Amino acid sequence: MVEIKDGKYWVGTDDEKAPQEEKPRRKTHLKAFRVDLYPVTNEQFLKFIRSKGKRFKTDSEKIGWSYVFRDLVSEEVKQNFTVENVTQPAGPRSTIMDKLQHPVVHVRWTDAAAYCYWAGKRLPTEEEWEVAAKGGLDGRKLPWGGRYSPERLNIWQGSFPDNNTLEDGHFSASSVLSFPEQNDYGMYDVVGNVWEWTRSQYVPPGMRKDEVEEKEYVVRGGSWLDSKDGSFNNRVQVTTRKGQAPDIGCDHVGFRCAQSVVPTSSDKVRYVSKANLTNQAKKPRVRHLKDQKKKKRPPPPPPPPPAPRRVNTPRPRGKPRKSRRGKKNDEL
């Protein structure tokens, strides 16, 4: 992980060609945090699955579907219902064993949050993600600060969706180490390859958070299905953002973890995912530790009554008193 210092940073853009949802350019204060150098891989997520007493089931597996690009699956899979999941990313008979260093996909927001909690981390906010992606540079569209180069990131070249010229050497998602470091922080795949979940709620331009009917979370970075200039799908830049429903998984969305240097109350979020360990299609509950009701202790038992006080009563007059030797004394 790389550590980002506490301070004020610029986020957003005032570029006239940028979508309205990326505007305006503004300053935000961030507390010190750490972020992973590359997205969570299949190998890392597989360890998480196997660490459970029972096999962890993602939401895509429980519900029974997930989005996958049409050219990556066979005609048999296209014509028949199938379950897309992290271990079979292109349907039955597909595997991740030759893609262990690829970013994990087909994970929904709750799956990503559950992994972060297991790893002792959390999802980054979108402001943290953008500041880390810029690598210390400000006002640049790409994390390395220069011009677009197919040797630096994995996106779609050519005409979508029928022709990919493969200038970057990849038709779909690639290993997280396929390309060199993208910024001065030593981070990989911050733009291109797969979108990345954040913990920030998506609010469309011109709306307030309480006006949003269907909750979505912000994903950042763009993917191998996007373009360099936005001529189709989304343009891939450090300010690129969009909303994604938390109950949707697909083959071009993954995540990376973050961690506060000084933990705060907002970090103490436990993503209860017991439902993922069964075949029931229940959504994992999200529960905040400070919202848990403290168990009321029973009242203490009443104190015992005081012991009776001993009182020396006077000896009746006229009765003989025995001496120590057992003899009677004269009457008084």
Side-chain angles (χ1 to χ4, degrees):
M1 303 185 82
V2 61
E3 183 172 324
I4 313 298
K5 296 182 179 180
D6 180 288
K8 292 184 177 181
Y9 299 91
W10 287 101
V11 295
T13 181
D14 287 330
D15 186 0
E16 296 180 356
K17 298 180 180 180
Q20 191 63 32
E21 61 185 8
E22 298 179 16
K23 301 176 182 179
R25 187 170 181 262
R26 60 202 181 277
K27 261 193 175 182
T28 184
H29 178 265
L30 297 177
K31 295 183 178 180
F33 68 97
R34 304 182 186 94
V35 65
D36 285 346
L37 295 179
Y38 47 81
V40 174
T41 64
N42 285 322
E43 183 178 20
Q44 291 173 315
F45 201 83
L46 198 58
K47 290 180 181 179
F48 165 60
I49 291 176
R50 292 173 175 173
S51 70
K52 300 296 182 180
K54 296 181 180 179
R55 186 183 181 280
F56 180 89
K57 283 196 172 184
T58 63
D59 281 354
S60 296
E61 292 174 283
K62 291 186 302 174
I63 297 174
W65 63 271
S66 182
Y67 289 110
V68 62
F69 187 59
R70 65 181 189 182
D71 291 351
L72 297 179
V73 297
S74 64
E75 291 298 326
E76 177 187 0
V77 173
K78 292 178 183 178
Q79 297 173 5
N80 296 280
F81 178 80
T82 183
V83 176
E84 309 293 350
N85 57 67
V86 296
T87 57
Q88 294 180 328
R93 293 186 292 278
S94 64
T95 180
I96 62 168
M97 299 315 295
D98 59 341
K99 300 178 180 179
L100 292 178
Q101 298 306 314
H102 284 54
V104 63
V105 291
H106 296 298
V107 285
R108 308 189 182 204
W109 189 88
T110 48
D111 303 322
Y115 174 90
C116 291
Y117 178 77
W118 170 80
K121 304 176 185 179
R122 59 171 173 80
L123 288 171
T125 65
E126 69 162 320
E127 291 82 8
E128 289 174 337
W129 187 97
E130 182 174 331
V131 169
K134 289 179 177 179
L137 299 178
D138 184 45
R140 303 296 181 91
K141 296 180 179 180
L142 296 170
W144 53 87
R147 296 182 178 180
Y148 162 78
S149 171
E151 299 177 355
R152 301 298 298 267
L153 76 168
N154 180 7
I155 60 174
W156 189 283
Q157 294 95 14
S159 59
F160 184 85
D162 299 320
N163 180 33
N164 188 343
T165 58
L166 304 179
E167 295 177 34
D168 54 23
H170 300 278
F171 182 78
S172 60
S174 57
S175 166
V176 296
L177 300 177
S178 294
F179 297 89
E181 300 172 358
Q182 289 187 339
N183 63 20
D184 291 340
Y185 291 160
M187 298 176 65
Y188 297 84
D189 280 354
V190 287
V191 291
N193 210 13
V194 294
W195 290 92
E196 297 180 14
W197 286 111
T198 71
R199 66 186 298 181
S200 300
Q201 182 179 346
Y202 175 77
V203 180
M207 295 184 65
R208 299 193 309 269
K209 185 179 292 188
D210 57 356
E211 296 176 341
V212 179
E213 295 182 358
E214 295 185 3
K215 191 172 185 178
E216 294 182 332
Y217 287 92
V218 177
V219 291
R220 301 296 300 258
S223 75
W224 56 273
L225 288 172
D226 296 306
S227 60
K228 65 177 182 179
D229 55 3
S231 56
F232 54 85
N233 296 339
N234 301 90
R235 66 172 190 169
V236 176
Q237 296 183 3
V238 290
T239 56
T240 302
R241 64 190 294 269
K242 71 173 184 176
Q244 180 92 343
D247 58 349
I248 290 181
C250 53
D251 62 350
H252 57 280
V253 175
F255 68 99
R256 77 177 69 212
C257 302
Q259 189 179 58
S260 298
V261 173
V262 179
T264 62
S265 59
S266 61
D267 295 333
K268 297 178 181 179
V269 178
R270 182 176 183 179
Y271 301 91
V272 182
S273 53
K274 292 181 180 179
N276 281 349
L277 303 179
T278 67
N279 293 325
Q280 300 176 2
K282 294 182 179 179
K283 289 186 177 181
R285 294 177 297 163
V286 179
R287 184 171 58 187
H288 201 290
L289 293 183
K290 71 178 183 180
D291 294 335
Q292 294 182 12
K293 294 183 179 180
K294 295 182 179 180
K295 294 182 179 180
K296 294 184 178 181
R297 296 181 179 179
R309 187 176 179 182
R310 297 184 64 182
V311 180
N312 294 328
T313 56
R315 189 181 303 278
R317 298 179 65 86
K319 287 187 177 182
R321 183 174 58 183
K322 291 183 179 181
S323 64
R324 293 181 180 178
R325 296 181 180 179
K327 294 182 179 181
K328 294 183 179 180
N329 295 330
D330 295 335
E331 294 183 359
L332 298 176

